[in-house]
Amino acid sequence: MATFHHGGHKLAYDIRGEGNRSLVLLPGLLLPRRMHEPLADELADRGNRVVTFDLLGHGESDRPRDMWRYSMPIFARQVVALLDHLEIDQAVVGGTSLGANVTLEVASLAPARLRGMVLEMPVLDNALLACALTFTPLMVALTFGEPITRRVAAVAGHVPRALGHYPNIFLDWVSQDPAPSAAVLQGLFFGRTAPHRTERKTFEAPALVLGHPRDAIHPFSDAKMLAEELPNARLVEANSVFELRLRPKRLTSVIAAFLDECWQPTRAGQRRRRTATA
């Protein structure tokens, strides 16, 4: 694990691979950067320098209890600070769910720093009701039921991490201190979800949008809408929410091919619109 400081807080990251083809991967809500380890290892083996990053309040980064420290634009500033820290002029940035939305915020904040975007399970207009129904009870439980959730976290923290990568990630998620997690949810709940669609239509970086069927929190309709909004986007439908985790070969190859395209030399004005469904 490597760290740097931004805004008075420690932020953690890992690097796999070498070279100038940098990819920053951002995890889902309250999940650690370790969730992307299998994908990062595979993409590093294919010639990419892959940085997995814990945003503030996640994983091994600092986890303050102040809700005002958490928002999508704040997370985007942390990603840009990471690029500055690593002296990366341009990178492909991507992530899952929360990570996808933060990537869109990076496109709003610093478009010149983006070589491309990998957007898995974006959370946009069609997901808001399901997110409210899902995360409001969780936020209430973490906030007002802290004595109980703290005991649950303590028990989960003592469970041996010998069940496999993704079960271990789940145990890490359950064993977190509930107070910072509640602050993250509160900060995001009262902030904007993503840049407005009128702004998203101006994002020119090439984008790979991955959507999943039968997922109310990450409806395929949001992925399809985003791919239609972005000027240089390609939409790929996963077989399920689990495909990239449990049967990753196809989607990993799609992502690797997209990275190859992002790093091909291009001249201004040569990018073309791509909205074909794979």
Side-chain angles (χ1 to χ4, degrees), residues 41-212:
D41 287 338
E42 182 66 29
L43 295 176
D45 288 343
R46 300 192 188 202
N48 301 285
R49 184 189 187 205
V50 185
V51 184
T52 53
F53 184 39
D54 281 333
L55 299 162
L56 190 69
H58 292 73
E60 294 179 282
S61 289
D62 283 348
R63 306 183 71 232
R65 299 186 177 199
D66 311 302
M67 63 170 287
W68 57 267
R69 297 184 186 277
Y70 302 107
S71 72
M72 296 294 183
I74 290 174
F75 287 152
R77 291 198 288 272
Q78 294 167 11
V79 175
V80 174
L82 172 69
L83 298 180
D84 292 341
H85 169 71
L86 296 175
E87 299 182 343
I88 297 173
D89 291 332
Q90 277 194 324
V92 177
V93 177
T96 301
S97 188
L98 169 74
N101 286 46
V102 174
T103 299
L104 292 172
E105 292 288 356
V106 175
S108 173
L109 176 65
R113 307 297 293 273
L114 282 179
R115 192 79 179 194
M117 299 183 286
V118 179
L119 305 162
E120 184 194 12
M121 299 194 295
V123 180
L124 299 172
D125 305 20
N126 300 306
L128 296 184
L129 178 58
C131 286
L133 294 174
T134 301
F135 291 112
T136 299
L138 176 60
M139 182 173 63
V140 171
L142 291 173
T143 303
F144 298 105
E146 183 177 347
I148 297 174
T149 54
R150 191 177 296 279
R151 293 191 194 99
V152 173
V155 171
H158 287 89
V159 177
R161 300 306 196 259
L163 303 176
H165 179 73
Y166 291 110
N168 290 344
I169 294 296
F170 175 76
L171 287 173
D172 288 346
W173 180 77
V174 174
S175 61
Q176 296 179 102
D177 182 351
S181 297
V184 172
L185 290 174
Q186 291 166 20
L188 296 176
F189 191 85
F190 294 105
R192 78 173 186 174
T193 304
H196 191 270
R197 64 183 307 167
T198 56
E199 185 179 6
R200 298 197 296 259
K201 291 179 180 180
T202 69
F203 297 162
E204 296 184 354
L208 179 67
V209 183
L210 302 176
H212 302 131

